[in-house]
Amino acid sequence: MSALDQLMSLIDRVDCYNNPPENLRELQLVAAQERLDQRRSQVAVLDKRAREAGIDKLKSFDDLVPLLFSHTNYKSYPDNFVTNGRWDMMNLWLQTLSTKKITGVNTQGIKDVDDWLDRLRDAGHYVFASSGTSGKASFLNQTEVDHERTYKGYLNQILWQVPSLKPNRDRPYFCSVPRYSAHRFTEINVLVSQAIGKPDEIMFLTDIPTKAADTNRMGAMRTRIADGTATPEEIAQFEAESKRKAALMEESVNKYYDAILDNRHRPIFIISMWQYVYYLAERGRARGIPDGTFNLDTAVMIGGGLKGANLPPDFQDSAMKFLGIPLENVAQSYGMVEMQAVCPYSRQTGGYVTAPWVIPLILDKAGEKLLNPKQNKGVVEGRMAFLDLSIEGRWGGVITGDKVHVDFNKHPTITGPFVQSITRYKDLPEGDDKLNCAGTIDSYVRGSIDA
């Protein structure tokens, strides 16, 4: 098998995070070359970047740095393409960042972003949206292969962390995301629920659809309010609608929490984020439920970061004290929509383990210099970037907005490296998260659309 095939074969294995190949770093560099050779013929902006940077052959991991895209490139579409309903232009924009030709999409009568995403899927383009916490959603293309790999990798990292949990479809399943959404983790959690959850006892945070169009509309309105162009009537209508949706969501969330609490004496499975586990504990205590009354076979999967939630310093200890379940039944993960793989938490190392098919590249704040050129030793602090070799629908090299602390030292039984101390650059006191590469790739994208 080629180096790329060897790494892809690990995705199906629950034990892929243990006992890595001795020559893993060498395999990754060779596989990166294979991916680059494939993607240059498919993604024109990548090829242009490689030519301008003078990179043809990857002699070291340093050579990957100029070829990385920014996480913001996937939301670089002009706002007026959406507001003016230029779905043909959105297709052209998406094409610049995709490996598969955007063809066969009927754009007649498309009402909004969600309708556009449905039309893309009908034509075989499995595009998903980010949560849009910044006020503007990212759109990333994926293939059917990506869809299957994401599901397998996500399920396997849960089973790796909690060996007692089996995909037997035999326990109540509670998932703290909407059941209906264009977000990638929604569709993956629906699949995981069908592997682990008892078919008639699967519950999501809400059945109210979460739409990408709403995210973009809210972002646009906040911008107009900030720059003073929104009228008083528009602001009043926006605030009234926001309150109405918030009330509906609160009702759904309270039902969800109460269902978990009512089933706490049974072995259940919960997929959540820390803030929701903390809010569950607070609601339970308000109901007079004492700490530590959950069934000891209950398992919990926690990920997703705090998303700006303002929680007390001891929120994790408080939440875990309420549940009272063994730590070995708690799985945690680090990931992002731009990365197909998910990094599971290792209690042995105190860090999140990068999958063998993901090459972590820790950069300086500007995103221009590699701080871990050897990839096999040392401890590094800097900006998280990576090349996810498993991605088929787009180029898998991305610079993120995360400041991380990473341990590259070799562990005897776990693949590594281990990601620790994760902070968003925009949440730091200086609040600066600008990347030079973002503007460069965006200019290539604009040039491709104009052409």
Side-chain angles (χ1 to χ4, degrees):
M1 292 190 294
S2 70
L4 191 56
D5 289 338
Q6 289 182 62
L7 294 175
M8 294 305 96
S9 69
L10 299 175
I11 295 175
D12 292 332
R13 295 174 51 176
V14 175
D15 67 346
C16 66
Y17 302 99
N18 299 104
N19 303 310
E22 286 295 324
N23 62 337
L24 177 61
R25 303 308 168 212
E26 291 81 1
L27 278 175
Q28 288 178 333
L29 188 60
V30 175
Q33 183 69 61
E34 293 177 45
R35 270 291 182 242
L36 178 61
D37 292 342
Q38 293 171 352
R39 297 295 174 252
R40 287 186 67 170
S41 64
Q42 299 167 325
V43 183
V45 293
L46 173 64
D47 182 61
K48 182 174 182 179
R49 182 61 181 150
R51 284 187 282 108
E52 290 194 358
I55 295 173
D56 186 38
K57 296 298 180 184
L58 299 175
K59 303 180 189 67
S60 69
F61 292 105
D62 290 89
D63 292 333
L64 282 170
V65 177
L67 307 180
L68 300 174
F69 292 4
S70 166
H71 63 105
T72 60
N73 292 138
Y74 292 97
K75 59 179 71 175
S76 63
Y77 53 92
D79 292 336
N80 60 10
F81 284 5
V82 174
T83 55
N84 296 336
R86 294 300 310 274
W87 307 113
D88 56 335
M89 298 303 292
M90 282 297 289
N91 287 347
L92 285 175
W93 169 81
L94 183 65
Q95 179 66 78
T96 64
L97 296 166
S98 303
T99 60
K100 189 177 179 181
K101 295 294 183 183
I102 309 298
T103 58
V105 182
N106 177 11
T107 59
Q108 296 298 313
I110 292 179
K111 300 184 294 296
D112 56 28
V113 165
D114 298 279
D115 204 6
W116 174 61
L117 293 173
D118 288 341
R119 297 289 183 88
L120 286 165
R121 184 156 293 222
D122 290 343
H125 310 292
Y126 295 84
V127 180
F128 64 88
S130 70
S131 58
T133 51
S134 66
K136 186 176 184 181
S138 299
F139 298 109
L140 300 96
N141 210 348
Q142 63 179 348
T143 66
E144 288 185 79
V145 172
D146 289 326
H147 192 266
E148 182 66 17
R149 284 176 177 170
T150 304
Y151 161 63
K152 286 181 178 178
Y154 190 70
L155 176 61
N156 284 341
Q157 62 89 22
I158 296 173
L159 302 179
W160 180 72
Q161 293 185 77
V162 187
S164 63
L165 184 67
K166 306 297 180 185
N168 294 333
R169 307 178 69 197
D170 60 355
R171 61 173 65 203
Y173 179 104
F174 297 93
C175 186
S176 301
V177 300
R179 187 188 300 269
Y180 307 107
S181 168
H183 195 282
R184 179 170 69 100
F185 285 118
T186 291
E187 63 180 14
I188 296 307
N189 280 310
V190 168
L191 292 174
V192 172
S193 74
Q194 295 165 1
I196 294 176
K198 197 172 181 180
D200 58 346
E201 295 191 82
I202 295 172
M203 187 174 187
F204 285 76
L205 184 68
T206 177
D207 286 342
I208 301 172
T210 299
K211 295 183 175 293
D214 291 340
T215 298
N216 278 351
R217 277 194 291 267
M218 285 191 296
M221 178 55 70
R222 290 191 185 107
T223 298
R224 293 186 61 203
I225 291 172
D227 63 23
T229 59
T231 66
E233 292 78 12
E234 289 174 328
I235 294 173
Q237 185 178 5
F238 172 74
E239 291 177 344
E241 180 65 9
S242 296
K243 288 180 181 178
R244 184 187 71 82
K245 289 181 177 179
L248 289 174
M249 180 59 74
E250 183 178 8
E251 181 181 358
S252 294
V253 170
N254 287 338
K255 287 181 180 178
Y256 172 80
Y257 288 152
D258 286 339
I260 294 176
L261 295 170
D262 291 344
N263 283 277
R264 69 187 184 280
H265 298 303
R266 304 170 64 192
I268 62 178
F269 181 56
I270 305 170
I271 289 186
S272 190
M273 293 183 286
W274 271 116
Q275 62 264 46
Y276 291 126
V277 181
Y278 176 76
Y279 297 150
L280 172 70
E282 291 296 286
R283 185 168 181 83
R285 288 169 178 143
R287 279 180 46 175
I289 296 173
D291 291 350
T293 60
F294 276 71
N295 187 291
L296 294 181
D297 288 330
T298 288
V300 180
M301 168 72 205
I302 301 175
L306 296 181
K307 303 297 185 188
N310 185 19
L311 302 180
D314 66 342
F315 69 91
Q316 294 187 15
D317 291 339
S318 176
M320 291 308 302
K321 183 179 179 182
F322 178 73
L323 296 178
I325 62 176
L327 285 179
E328 55 266 29
N329 285 5
V330 179
Q332 296 186 65
S333 68
Y334 167 62
M336 59 211 71
V337 294
E338 297 86 4
M339 182 190 289
Q340 195 150 272
V342 176
C343 304
Y345 184 75
S346 163
R347 279 181 289 275
Q348 287 180 264
T349 65
Y352 297 93
V353 189
T354 52
W357 54 91
V358 173
I359 303 172
L361 302 161
I362 311 307
L363 312 181
D364 63 348
K365 183 181 177 182
E368 297 174 334
K369 181 182 179 182
L370 184 66
L371 303 180
N372 61 301
K374 293 188 177 180
Q375 284 281 316
N376 58 6
K377 63 179 181 179
V379 178
V380 182
E381 183 179 70
R383 184 183 288 272
M384 180 70 179
F386 60 86
L387 175 60
D388 187 335
L389 295 162
S390 70
I391 298 175
E392 296 287 347
R394 57 192 186 278
W395 172 236
V398 175
I399 303 176
T400 78
D402 292 347
K403 183 179 182 180
V404 294
H405 178 280
V406 183
D407 186 346
F408 282 89
N409 291 310
K410 188 175 181 180
H411 189 276
T413 60
I414 300 179
T415 305
F418 311 105
V419 182
Q420 303 164 326
S421 183
I422 303 156
T423 308
R424 294 283 184 95
Y425 272 100
K426 68 178 183 179
D427 294 334
L428 295 174
E430 59 269 26
D432 183 14
D433 188 23
K434 293 181 179 178
L435 292 168
N436 292 335
C437 69
T440 302
I441 301 300
D442 284 354
S443 69
Y444 294 164
V445 169
R446 287 192 297 270
S448 298
I449 294 175
D450 291 342

